[in-house]
Amino acid sequence: MAIEFHKDSQTFHLHNAFISYIFKVLPSGHLGQLYYGRAIHDRPDFDHLFETAYRSMSVHYFDGEPAYSLEHIKQEYPTCGTGDIHLPALDAAAPNGSRLLDLHYQSHTIAPGKPPLEGGELPSTYVESPDEAVTLTVTLADALAGVTVDLVYTLYEGLPVLTRHAVIGYTGEGTLRLDRAMSFCLDLPDMDYDLVELTGAWARERHVVTRPLAHGVQGVYSLRGCSSHHFNPFLALKRHETTEFAGEVYGFSLVYSGNFAAQADVDPYHVTRVTMGIHPQGFRWDLHSGERFTTPEAVLVYSEQGLNGMSQTYHQLYRTRLARGEWRDKVRPILVNNWEATYFDFTEEKLLGLAAEAKRLGIELFVLDDGWFTNRNDDHGGLGDWQINYEKLPDGIQGFGAKLHEMGLLFGLWIEPEMVNAGTALWNEHPDWVLHEPGRRPQQGRFQYVLDYSNPAVVDWIFARLCSVLDGVPVDYIKWDMNRSISDAYSCTAASDAQGMVLHKYILGVYRLYRLLTERYPHILFESCASGGARFDPGMLACAPQCWTSDDTDAVERLRIQYGTSFVYPVSSMGAHVAAAPNHQVGRITSLTMRANVAIFGAFGYELDLTALGEHGQDLVARQVAFVKKYRELLQFGTFWRLKSPFEGNEAAWMTVSSDQRTALVGQYLILQEVNAGYRRLRLAGLDPDRLYRVTRLGSGARAAGQPVTAYGDELMRAGLVTTDEDPASEGDFASHLYLIEAAE
């Protein structure tokens, strides 16, 4: 791992065993992009990679050099007004109204390790020792405008990972208005890529969509105040021939939970400009002299091992160097959530009956969901006051939690701290703490309104109120929900010229509250949630090590949701539960085995009435729980491989392999049964080709179904595993199988 600066050629080369990233200081003082991809040998200069040509109608930077135009030079951080007419990385208005910026190289520093982002609240990846990474900071400046930009690059030692962000400073008089400040810009020399995005909506989040790049702008975004169900802050560019297992792919992921834009802009000469950062719509950040603004961090991953290679890099980085705290490396407890069993209609007696059955079946954590506080018998009231409902819980949550602990169960609790219902004390006493413009009726969402987390006083009050609830209460797990998009983004306590800061400050307020709570209660396992998966993003993963993947708990729909989510996020981060059948979202009936065989590839739990399953169902749950306990370290922290895509056919398959390659679990799923179908084989991945394995097909309740077979790893990966059903009629639709693969001694 090294970051080289070749003084004579003014060239930077960031390289490790996997990647090279090369740019240089051009004769004009701008930074020109030369190469990003597989690691190549270092050399004193790479000037032969610099490309430019005369183009009609272009403006040229130097007199007498018509080929030197910023419109056609690949740049590191382009700006407005000096010849580049593409979407810029930075757009700002000076006090005199000028939008012209011309950033020139000033200096740079190279230091071991990776410092946290300037400003304090933005989350980012990190290191635990300085030798894990090296960081380059390049300072650019426009002296006339009084603008400086620090471009910060961190190269990780053992991964094909480069992180980037920018820090914009102002030293002039008056106020500089930032209207667009991207986290990075990358100009690639061709457009021969497919763009991969994760697209969806409520209950069908993060579906994989692939389309060839075309000329013009394409990409994804959110203007919902959160990263959204609809688009995830992620893009990948893969070569047309790239598969899950082989080929070149670039991944781009933003560590941010608010409005974002991720775009690929292809010009008529086939250059692809990738930018990612805070969405400029509605964004305005004023800088006074001496102030600085830090953009969110972007994580760039390059893989020659196909989409799985890209994803496994994100999994390793995000699980171990983005998630943090006591629960980062601990296996997650198996839980049962009362929501789909009772909704709002419960008593303590009913809850304790469910908990007793959960304990008998081996479950470790009981989660009390919505409805435990006053005026909360439906979703029309109660949010914001957080007063305990002693009619439902006679001894309060402290007493209820103590009873669960006496049973030997952990205690989990649901909260939604960013929202308020009309009619609550908080609503009546602090109307200025609700996002809305005075005199204009605010928009409702799920009968609730959004608190103004851009106002630190609101965050402080909510923190104190939650502490008064949680202090002295034996809470082991918190499910933090957020059930509506943000509208009426006007802060009653902010000045008129600060309204463009509200949505970004809101997200900083959310991060701050998470930090305050996790520091005060470090033993609590936090799970983020936003009406299911509306805020499943790297910023949230830095606050809570797992997230509720989707409100849709149907096993068939979860195949697509979990498959797409795995493009960026580790299995340990995906809350995945076995729910009731018929399913409450789609009405589909699937077997208890199918539901569990999908959910075990996640942070596993149940969301149904265990007492209503009958003896056979309860016995099956007990065996499922015992199986997950035995293999959950493998399931949550092993290397995850996608084998067959549910977006491409009637089958889906994936597997996870232990770090020593001695144990693996394969999940294979057939959505609709076929009559007189052909033979089936499944090629596995990630095994030791020279090791002999024992393969056991597991039946209902994860018990062996038939005699094990032995095969070497190379056979299982090249010839494949025969998975043809012996009696497809007995399986029916929505069939699933698990295969346990163990080293044969």
Side-chain angles (χ1 to χ4, degrees):
M1 173 184 65
I3 295 180
E4 317 275 1
F5 178 64
H6 298 292
K7 186 175 181 180
D8 289 344
S9 64
Q10 296 284 285
T11 301
F12 294 93
H13 185 187
L14 295 74
H15 60 98
N16 59 20
F18 310 99
I19 60 172
S20 285
Y21 190 99
I22 306 171
F23 62 96
K24 69 168 294 170
V25 182
L26 299 173
S28 59
H30 303 95
L31 297 183
Q33 165 66 220
L34 299 180
Y35 175 78
Y36 174 38
R38 180 179 178 176
I40 59 178
H41 288 290
D42 189 40
R43 56 186 296 173
D45 72 70
F46 292 89
D47 286 354
H48 56 284
L49 296 177
F50 176 67
E51 298 173 284
T52 190
Y54 172 73
R55 309 288 187 186
S56 177
M57 293 293 291
S58 297
V59 296
H60 48 275
Y61 193 84
F62 292 122
D63 292 342
E65 293 190 28
Y68 197 99
S69 170
L70 294 180
E71 179 183 350
H72 303 295
I73 290 172
K74 303 172 190 67
Q75 297 182 66
E76 282 294 289
Y77 206 71
T79 57
C80 286
T82 49
D84 189 326
I85 45 74
H86 305 100
L87 290 175
L90 178 63
D91 184 16
N96 67 355
S98 172
R99 307 193 78 90
L100 305 182
L101 279 174
D102 196 15
L103 296 172
H104 290 188
Y105 168 81
Q106 298 296 301
S107 63
H108 72 272
T109 60
I110 300 171
K114 184 180 191 294
L117 269 62
E118 186 177 315
E121 295 300 346
L122 275 174
S124 63
T125 57
Y126 59 91
V127 297
E128 292 187 340
S129 65
D131 59 356
E132 290 182 23
V134 60
T135 296
L136 166 68
T137 302
V138 181
T139 299
L140 310 177
D142 182 327
L144 181 63
V147 174
T148 63
V149 177
D150 288 345
L151 300 181
V152 185
Y153 306 75
T154 294
L155 178 71
Y156 274 82
E157 161 67 22
L159 293 168
V161 169
L162 183 69
T163 71
R164 290 191 58 181
H165 72 278
V167 183
I168 297 101
Y170 183 56
T171 59
E173 298 180 357
T175 302
L176 179 78
R177 191 182 78 212
L178 297 182
D179 292 322
R180 179 184 180 93
M182 293 290 102
S183 295
F184 79 96
C185 175
L186 174 67
D187 283 348
L188 295 170
D190 66 80
M191 62 176 289
D192 297 328
Y193 297 98
D194 292 330
L195 185 146
V196 183
E197 64 188 61
L198 302 177
T199 298
W202 176 81
R204 54 179 176 86
E205 296 89 344
R206 289 172 300 286
H207 283 204
V208 180
V209 175
T210 303
R211 50 195 165 106
L213 278 187
H215 291 98
V217 178
Q218 50 248 275
V220 294
Y221 68 95
S222 175
L223 289 172
R224 306 184 75 90
C226 57
S227 47
S228 86
H229 298 100
H230 295 154
F231 301 111
N232 201 257
F234 162 79
L235 283 181
L237 296 180
K238 74 175 188 69
R239 295 299 186 183
H240 304 307
E241 67 276 9
T242 295
T243 67
E244 287 280 17
F245 306 99
E248 186 178 52
V249 58
Y250 297 88
F252 308 96
S253 175
L254 190 67
V255 185
Y256 192 60
S257 307
N259 287 352
F260 74 90
Q263 297 174 320
D265 180 7
V266 182
D267 75 8
Y269 303 102
H270 320 311
V271 173
T272 300
R273 172 168 291 180
V274 183
T275 55
M276 181 178 275
I278 297 171
H279 202 295
Q281 175 65 39
F283 171 81
R284 169 182 168 176
W285 199 273
D286 288 347
L287 288 178
H288 305 289
S289 186
E291 293 181 340
R292 288 159 67 86
F293 177 80
T294 302
T295 71
E297 180 174 271
V299 179
L300 284 62
V301 168
Y302 173 81
S303 170
E304 275 197 319
Q305 285 73 50
L307 292 164
N308 269 311
M310 174 198 72
S311 298
Q312 289 160 7
T313 298
Y314 277 122
H315 296 174
Q316 183 178 346
L317 181 72
Y318 283 177
R319 186 179 64 78
T320 66
R321 293 297 181 268
L322 179 63
R324 61 202 72 208
E326 183 178 319
W327 284 97
R328 185 192 73 176
D329 301 323
K330 291 172 63 173
V331 293
R332 309 297 159 70
I334 299 171
L335 66 81
V336 63
N337 186 303
N338 74 295
W339 180 243
E340 290 194 10
T342 68
Y343 292 102
F344 293 104
D345 184 19
F346 61 81
T347 62
E348 182 178 84
E349 181 182 7
K350 186 172 184 178
L351 295 177
L352 290 175
L354 293 171
E357 184 60 24
K359 175 62 180 176
R360 187 181 74 84
L361 299 176
I363 291 169
E364 299 158 308
L365 166 64
F366 184 90
V367 180
L368 174 57
D369 209 282
D370 197 356
W372 55 267
F373 44 99
T374 55
N375 301 314
R376 192 65 172 176
N377 295 312
D378 53 37
D379 58 2
H380 289 59
L383 283 176
D385 289 346
W386 303 110
Q387 300 288 340
I388 298 162
N389 187 331
Y390 286 97
E391 292 184 6
K392 290 183 177 180
L393 302 172
D395 297 317
I397 59 172
Q398 183 173 13
F400 180 67
K403 292 170 187 177
L404 291 178
H405 277 203
E406 288 171 8
M407 288 184 185
L409 287 169
L410 300 173
F411 173 35
L413 193 66
W414 177 94
I415 60 173
E416 190 174 3
E418 298 165 64
M419 302 295 160
V420 64
N421 287 122
T424 59
L426 177 59
W427 170 273
N428 293 328
E429 294 169 12
H430 294 285
D432 57 327
W433 284 7
V434 178
L435 286 175
H436 77 289
E437 183 183 1
R440 190 183 302 278
R441 180 180 62 85
Q443 307 302 305
Q444 230 183 48
R446 207 193 181 206
F447 310 106
Q448 61 197 42
Y449 302 86
V450 184
L451 291 171
D452 180 9
Y453 270 40
S454 73
N455 180 354
V458 177
V459 175
D460 291 340
W461 189 92
I462 291 291
F463 174 63
R465 186 72 199 95
L466 291 176
C467 289
S468 71
V469 172
L470 296 174
D471 281 353
V473 174
V475 173
D476 305 286
Y477 162 102
I478 290 288
K479 180 180 178 180
W480 178 325
D481 212 342
M482 185 260 197
N483 276 306
R484 59 156 291 179
S485 301
I486 297 176
S487 64
D488 303 279
Y490 184 93
S491 173
C492 298
T493 59
S496 60
D497 60 358
Q499 295 301 322
M501 303 181 181
V502 168
L503 284 173
H504 181 56
K505 283 189 172 182
Y506 178 95
I507 294 300
L508 296 181
V510 172
Y511 293 148
R512 177 168 168 260
L513 183 57
Y514 260 109
R515 178 178 56 79
L516 292 171
L517 288 170
T518 53
E519 287 176 353
R520 188 178 182 98
Y521 308 104
H523 72 283
I524 291 180
L525 170 59
F526 280 80
E527 177 174 289
S528 63
C529 177
S531 189
R535 205 162 60 182
F536 200 129
D537 58 62
M540 284 292 102
L541 189 54
C543 299
Q546 63 189 56
C547 181
W548 184 225
T549 314
S550 175
D551 281 341
D552 192 337
T553 52
D554 172 63
V556 175
E557 289 300 315
R558 273 299 185 110
L559 290 174
R560 300 182 182 91
I561 293 168
Q562 290 174 213
Y563 192 96
T565 302
S566 75
F567 267 57
V568 188
Y569 305 101
V571 168
S572 61
S573 70
M574 297 185 217
H577 297 173
V578 176
N583 177 263
H584 289 196
Q585 288 77 48
V586 301
R588 194 180 347 254
I589 298 174
T590 57
S591 70
L592 194 55
T593 296
M594 171 68 171
R595 283 172 270 159
N597 285 354
V598 175
I600 65 170
F601 291 90
F604 182 72
Y606 292 86
E607 194 139 346
L608 45 70
D609 187 349
L610 296 167
T611 66
L613 290 177
E615 184 176 348
H616 174 72
Q618 291 167 350
D619 178 63
L620 191 52
V621 167
R623 285 187 273 119
Q624 291 169 349
V625 168
F627 180 81
V628 171
K629 286 180 178 178
K630 184 175 181 179
Y631 293 104
R632 61 181 158 187
E633 187 167 348
L634 165 66
L635 287 161
Q636 292 175 16
F637 304 137
T639 301
F640 185 77
W641 293 85
R642 294 181 299 271
L643 304 178
K644 275 186 172 292
S645 172
F647 298 101
E648 296 177 0
N650 191 38
E651 294 180 72
W654 50 49
M655 67 184 291
T656 186
V657 184
S658 64
S659 58
D660 61 7
Q661 297 179 294
R662 295 183 61 83
T663 311
L665 273 170
V666 179
Q668 182 222 8
Y669 313 92
L670 185 66
I671 298 173
L672 296 179
Q673 198 55 258
E674 299 170 338
V675 176
N676 198 22
Y679 301 108
R680 292 192 179 93
R681 287 192 187 188
L682 183 63
R683 289 186 177 183
L684 306 187
L687 302 175
D688 182 344
D690 300 318
R691 177 167 281 151
L692 185 66
Y693 291 96
R694 181 175 58 255
V695 182
T696 305
R697 176 170 165 171
L698 304 177
S700 176
R703 294 187 294 195
Q707 291 297 314
V709 298
T710 58
Y712 281 96
D714 59 353
E715 177 187 335
L716 294 169
M717 293 188 291
R718 295 169 189 167
L721 178 67
V722 174
T723 62
T724 306
D725 290 334
E726 294 180 2
D727 183 11
S730 68
E731 297 283 349
D733 292 339
F734 321 127
S736 66
H737 298 115
L738 296 180
Y739 294 87
L740 176 62
I741 301 174
E742 301 169 291
E745 300 298 342

